[in-house]
Amino acid sequence: MTTPDLGPGGADLHLELPAEGARRTALAQALRSAVRSGRLAGGTLLPPYRTLAADLGLARNAVADAYAELVAEGWFTARQGSGTRVAEGVATTDAPSATAGPVPDRPRHDLLQGKPDPASFPRDAWAASARRALSEAPTEAFGPGDPQGRPELRRALAGYLSRARGVRCGPENIVICSGFANGLRLLASVRPPDWAVEAYGLPFHHGILETAGVHPYPVPVDEDGARTKELPARVPTLLLTPAHQFPTGGRLLPARRAAAVEWARGTGAVIVEDDYDGEFRYDRKPVGALQGLAPEHVVYAGSLSKSLSPALRLGWLVLPDRLRDQVLAAKGLRESWASTLDQLALADFIDCGAYDRHVRRMRLRYRNRRDQLVSVLAAHAPEVRVTGISAGLHAVLALAPGRESPALAAAHAAGLALDGLSTYRHPADPTPPREGLVVGYAAPPDSAFTRALEALAGVVGR
Ligand SMILES: Cc1ncc(COP(=O)(O)O)c(C=O)c1O
């Protein structure tokens, strides 16, 4: 096969990536298959990071990481000043990686963060709620939806959130949205364009903000959450994950919670509290919502995506009055995203106690999973520090500088799908990068979990 001369912009690549989730891993996988299948010939100049990142809507460092990973595995070569190219002699062969052995096409074990256990979805209880909701719904519920959300659901949520998360609200403060992503888009559309964000976060969310024209100011993060002393003086909105910093895993210290609230009061800023997995706290009593300290300055955001399933695409914002009115104006005259019938089913699911039962059952299950992860690593890779494990569905295995890329390459060669911590670092983070592996432990089936952990221990214990 001849290599076309593609000029300094490099090859124009057609790569299909999922819209959400671990897109950097998906990019590395897509590039690998493109080389393996011969679609990308040996010697082909790859596009610069910036170009491919813009084409795919990814952060630049996500593309840089994917390239580095393929260089480490021998699929690409990189030379200072002449860009990254497909290595000669690997296309159309199933040549094993130079460093890490054969790379399977599909990972055998999915340890990507962000997924609750799909097999534990409470099908029967949800079906019962959906059936009841359908048969009891008033006729008007089958017309266009109210953009604020069904009153039945807002009432049920107001009770649940104040009881279980310490949120101070009534049904009138709640706006239903289609998951947190939709809520964030709405908030970005009504807030001024300067936002502070944690220096580690979901690139997908940073992308949503950037698409909305937001200028993000990354706030450094350590094991106790966002470093509130470094909050910028004059930024009107701060996106925060106080209960369980995403993805590094720290809980925002009480003194920092107080400082964040003081900062918001003093500057008139609004904190958007992303309480994405607040129900799943294992070691201490659940950490209550920051919103409970300052309802006038905090927008509480919740979602079913970790507690029940991301397939439902349901989330909620709890808003101070003035912001609620702005968000409702942005939503328009009728609900365009969140299914009214699913809202009614969820209202029933909460009211009949099924949601609390499910959360309690899953908390136990995920805590057992976390304990298994910790004990397998303690037995086979005792030098590895497992962090961020007091809550949630993922842990971070802290790695020394320079270890993340080789560990990722080895993990992928061992059939493990997972991400490096650097994937989540905001490109403008002013602090030195932290390295690690982000390990989701909720989704693998029981039958495969032990083997997945052993493979992981084999990779990090080297
Ligand atoms: C940090 C973080 N926030 C929020 C969410 C919820 O997002 P959504 O409700 O859009 O699925 C997730 C994913 O579950 C997440 O990882």
Side-chain angles (χ1 to χ4, degrees), residues 108-133:
R108 282 190 299 278
H109 300 297
D110 185 353
L111 296 179
L112 289 167
Q113 71 73 30
K115 302 174 182 181
D117 176 17
S120 294
F121 185 82
R123 293 177 192 235
D124 291 344
W126 184 264
S129 285
R131 202 174 311 112
R132 269 194 303 272

Side-chain angles (χ1 to χ4, degrees), residues 74-91:
W75 299 105
F76 290 173
T77 58
R79 205 160 320 126
Q80 194 79 34
S82 69
T84 306
R85 288 178 183 275
V86 178
E88 294 290 353
V90 290

Side-chain angles (χ1 to χ4, degrees), residues 66 140 190 205-206 224 269 307 414 428 433:
E140 50 83 17
V190 301
H205 292 161
H206 294 159
D224 297 318
S307 58

Side-chain angles (χ1 to χ4, degrees), residues 279-332:
E279 283 95 348
F280 299 123
R281 183 117 213 132
Y282 310 126
D283 291 354
R284 306 182 183 88
K285 271 178 39 177
V287 179
L290 188 70
Q291 191 267 5
L293 302 180
E296 279 309 303
H297 289 281
V298 179
V299 173
Y300 175 90
S303 157
L304 291 183
S305 290
K306 293 272 164 55
S307 58
L308 197 52
S309 166
L312 285 162
R313 304 309 309 138
L314 277 179
W316 42 90
L317 299 175
V318 179
L319 299 140
D321 293 350
R322 68 199 141 86
L323 259 173
R324 177 207 46 213
D325 295 344
Q326 289 172 7
V327 165
L328 286 177
K331 281 194 93 171

Side-chain angles (χ1 to χ4, degrees), residues 20 113-116 177-183 185 198 201-202 204-205 208 239 241 244-247 274-277 301-307 309-311 313-316 393-394 424:
E20 295 189 25
Q113 71 73 30
K115 302 174 182 181
C177 44
S178 174
F180 175 71
N182 175 228
R185 276 193 191 95
E198 291 162 314
L202 203 58
F204 175 57
H205 292 161
I208 287 177
L239 175 59
T241 49
H244 187 220
Q245 203 288 321
F246 183 86
D274 175 6
D275 194 36
Y276 65 101
D277 65 4
S303 157
L304 291 183
S305 290
K306 293 272 164 55
S307 58
S309 166
R313 304 309 309 138
L314 277 179
W316 42 90
L393 317 182
H394 71 273
Y424 299 90

Side-chain angles (χ1 to χ4, degrees), residues 48-76:
Y49 308 152
R50 188 191 302 279
T51 310
L52 191 56
D55 286 353
L56 297 174
L58 283 169
R60 243 185 80 182
N61 65 346
V63 176
D65 286 350
Y67 280 18
E69 202 177 291
L70 271 83
V71 169
E73 293 171 14
W75 299 105
F76 290 173

